[in-house]
Amino acid sequence: MLSLFFSFLLTIQPPDSIAHDKELAAADSIAADTLQEVTVRAGRHIPLPGMVVGGSKDGAVVAPPSLSAILEKLSPGLTDKIMHPFAFRQRKKEGRRKRSLKALEDFDKVKTFNDLLREAYQQQLLEDSLEKKLFEQQQ
């Protein structure tokens, strides 16, 4: 019975804590009065962290990119090197092919002797015709 009496004494709140509880309740009612009204409309998507909204034409939520897609953007070919670490022969072949295609493109950009000769001939014709016109205008 003594333990029941002590538990009863512990549950009784002192008068200053009751006043404190009333102040908290008053503060809660003030905070509730100052909240803005929010209107919720149907058909709107709530964006989640890491997701893109409106990425497609119909405005659907698009899943975040995978790790392999991010790696491919940052360093092309890195996924292949991780997944197939011993494909040295294939990579060397691709590198040689890439270098030879670039050399061929650069070779095609170089003007030939005939092209340079044709340009020089047209430039000379243009200069001659301008000199002829100036000479005719002076006389």
Side-chain angles (χ1 to χ4, degrees):
M1 182 147 130
L2 193 59
S3 64
L4 184 63
F5 179 71
F6 282 125
S7 63
F8 177 71
L9 286 177
L10 292 175
T11 58
I12 295 177
Q13 294 181 347
D16 61 334
S17 68
I18 294 172
H20 182 67
D21 289 342
K22 286 182 182 178
E23 290 174 5
L24 288 177
D28 288 342
S29 67
I30 291 171
D33 293 341
T34 59
L35 290 178
Q36 295 179 352
E37 242 181 75
V38 178
T39 307
V40 179
R41 289 183 255 156
R44 306 284 266 167
H45 293 285
I46 299 172
L48 299 174
M51 293 200 162
V52 179
V53 177
S56 62
K57 291 181 180 177
D58 59 354
V61 176
V62 180
S66 64
L67 178 62
S68 62
I70 294 170
L71 283 175
E72 195 61 34
K73 272 189 178 179
L74 294 176
S75 176
L78 184 64
T79 308
D80 179 51
K81 290 174 185 168
I82 292 170
M83 298 301 289
H84 307 286
F86 300 109
F88 298 119
R89 186 179 298 158
Q90 180 184 0
R91 286 192 210 111
K92 281 185 179 180
K93 186 177 179 182
E94 289 171 0
R96 283 193 299 266
R97 179 176 167 77
K98 189 176 179 181
R99 283 192 299 276
S100 63
L101 286 177
K102 184 174 179 340
L104 286 174
E105 287 176 8
D106 292 344
F107 185 75
D108 288 341
K109 290 178 186 176
V110 173
K111 294 181 181 179
T112 62
F113 177 74
N114 287 336
D115 293 336
L116 295 172
L117 186 64
R118 187 177 302 111
E119 285 179 9
Y121 179 71
Q122 289 175 350
Q123 183 68 26
Q124 189 64 44
L125 282 177
L126 180 67
E127 289 174 3
D128 290 345
S129 64
L130 288 175
E131 284 182 17
K132 187 177 179 183
K133 286 216 182 229
L134 286 174
F135 182 73
E136 288 174 1
Q137 287 178 356
Q138 289 176 356
Q139 289 183 353

